[in-house]
């Protein structure tokens, strides 16, 4: 694609999606916006999430992107219709591809989904799964503490295992065979989640599913220089430090920009 792909998230979690995009579409240029001044979205009202998401999307459009990837599960769950209505370029979300992969992967028809409170409350995953597999039974559980645990790098501490056991108990009781990681941060905790759920449960990474779907759609347009431009609305140093773990490689220069009011970068860089 001649124009860059825009990716936005409430913060640094969306880098887990960028990581897969880079692997699958190495030639594409990417502009990333992380709304680190207003993270988390998962505890906010749908109205606030829609507003923040539209502002993040406009910021990317102002930078000339040719497609927008909504890496944030909460934004995908709550704001997708509003984004598609307003955005003149294709908008890709993480929920649809994740739901599709889960609906295809299940044998028993019992699927679990974990995400932020806003994502689970939206009911979007059961709806999207039902479109593809109407007989599937979906159990959703919010796991809000997973976000700070992942950002702290507490990926396999005893406390993390304990919290995971408690959160995931209803899913064990429901005897699911597929579990959707419906939040940007949860792939970082896949080891603990697998430990608690057992090998019989297939984990579906919604970000990876999204990246595969984007490649499917954009494959014919492929071929460019690659490279990523990073923008955040606050705390660029922390973004670089923690983001490195999520991204699996060093983060380059990070510029500070505000999404609201046009998003003109004030010029501070890290
Ligand atoms: N990026 C969010 C998501 O995937 C998690 C962090 C937040 O609550 O903003 O739902």
């Amino acid at each position: 694609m001649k124009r860059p792909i825009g990716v936005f998230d409430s913060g640094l979690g969306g880098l887990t999606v960028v990581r897969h995009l880079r692997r699958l579409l190495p030639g594409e240029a990417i502009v990333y916006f992380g709304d680190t001044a207003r993270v988390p979205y998962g505890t906010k009202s749908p109205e606030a999430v829609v507003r923040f998401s539209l502002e993040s999307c406009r910021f990317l459009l102002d930078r000339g992107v040719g497609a927008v990837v909504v890496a944030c599960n909460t934004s995908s769950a709550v704001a997708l219709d509003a984004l598609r209505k307003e955005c003149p370029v294709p908008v890709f979300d993480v929920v649809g591809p994740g739901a599709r992969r889960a609906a295809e992967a299940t044998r028993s028809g019992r699927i679990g989904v974990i995400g932020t409170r806003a994502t689970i409350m939206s009911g979007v995953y059961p709806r999207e799964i039902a479109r593809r597999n109407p007989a599937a039974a979906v159990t959703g559980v919010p796991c809000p503490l997973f976000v700070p645990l992942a950002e702290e790098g507490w990926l396999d501490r005893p406390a993390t295992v304990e919290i995971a056991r408690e959160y995931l108990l209803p899913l064990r009781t429901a005897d699911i065979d597929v579990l959707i990681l419906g939040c940007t941060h949860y792939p970082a905790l896949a080891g603990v989640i697998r430990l608690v759920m057992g090998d019989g449960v297939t984990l579906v990474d919604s970000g990876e599913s999204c990246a595969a779907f984007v490649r499917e759609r954009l494959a014919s347009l492929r071929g460019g220089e690659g490279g990523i431009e990073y923008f955040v609305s606050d705390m660029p140093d922390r973004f670089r430090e923690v983001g490195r773990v999520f991204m699996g490689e060093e983060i380059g220069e990070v510029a500070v920009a505000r999404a609201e009011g046009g998003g003109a970068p004030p010029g501070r860089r890290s």
Side-chain angles (χ1 to χ4, degrees):
M1 200 162 74
K2 292 226 168 49
R3 291 191 281 165
I5 299 175
V7 180
F8 81 85
D9 178 51
S10 56
L12 52 83
L15 293 172
T16 54
V17 182
V18 173
R19 188 177 183 160
H20 291 297
L21 283 171
R22 293 281 285 167
R23 184 171 55 79
L24 296 175
L25 289 164
E28 298 294 336
I30 291 174
V31 180
Y32 183 91
F33 179 73
D35 196 6
T36 46
R38 300 190 287 197
V39 69
Y41 285 5
T43 54
K44 307 260 164 40
S45 67
E47 294 73 27
V49 174
V50 168
R51 181 159 56 87
F52 297 165
S53 303
L54 285 171
E55 287 171 356
S56 298
C57 187
R58 283 179 205 133
F59 174 86
L60 293 172
L61 290 170
D62 283 350
R63 264 139 205 89
V65 301
V68 170
V69 174
V70 186
C72 179
N73 259 271
T74 303
S75 295
S76 294
V78 173
L80 189 63
D81 288 347
L83 287 163
R84 290 219 164 116
K85 212 156 138 194
E86 172 157 319
C87 197
V89 300
V91 177
F92 296 94
D93 71 312
V94 284
V95 171
R100 183 176 73 169
R101 188 170 283 187
E104 286 165 3
T106 185
R107 297 281 162 264
S108 69
R110 291 185 297 276
I111 298 172
V113 54
I114 51 177
T116 65
R117 219 175 277 292
T119 297
I120 299 303
M121 297 265 293
S122 76
V124 69
Y125 272 105
R127 277 200 302 280
E128 287 295 313
I129 291 167
R131 282 180 47 206
R132 292 149 173 108
N133 182 347
V138 183
T139 307
V141 179
C143 302
L145 291 173
F146 280 177
V147 169
L149 286 170
E151 290 201 7
E152 283 303 311
W154 283 34
L155 306 184
D156 52 9
R157 302 266 182 116
T160 308
V161 178
E162 210 39 57
I163 289 166
R165 278 196 212 289
E166 189 150 345
Y167 272 152
L168 302 178
L169 185 61
L171 298 171
R172 285 167 53 89
T173 308
D175 197 21
I176 59 166
D177 69 348
V178 172
L179 175 58
I180 302 173
L181 308 181
C183 173
T184 47
H185 288 59
Y186 299 179
L189 296 169
V192 166
I193 294 168
R194 200 170 287 117
L195 179 82
V196 172
M197 294 308 297
D199 288 338
V201 175
T202 303
L203 303 186
V204 170
D205 178 339
S206 58
E208 186 179 8
S209 310
C210 164
F213 185 69
V214 173
R215 182 178 59 171
E216 230 174 270
R217 291 300 159 100
L218 299 184
S220 58
L221 301 165
R222 197 170 163 177
E225 296 274 299
I228 312 181
E229 251 190 302
Y230 295 101
F231 296 92
V232 295
S233 48
D234 199 13
M235 306 280 280
D237 292 334
R238 173 140 175 96
F239 178 87
R240 291 184 70 196
E241 187 190 316
V242 184
R244 183 158 47 90
V245 180
F246 279 67
M247 186 66 187
E249 61 181 70
E250 290 298 328
I251 305 281
E253 192 175 274
V254 181
V256 178
R258 284 221 318 275
E260 62 272 35
R268 187 151 62 92
R269 281 176 188 264
S270 163

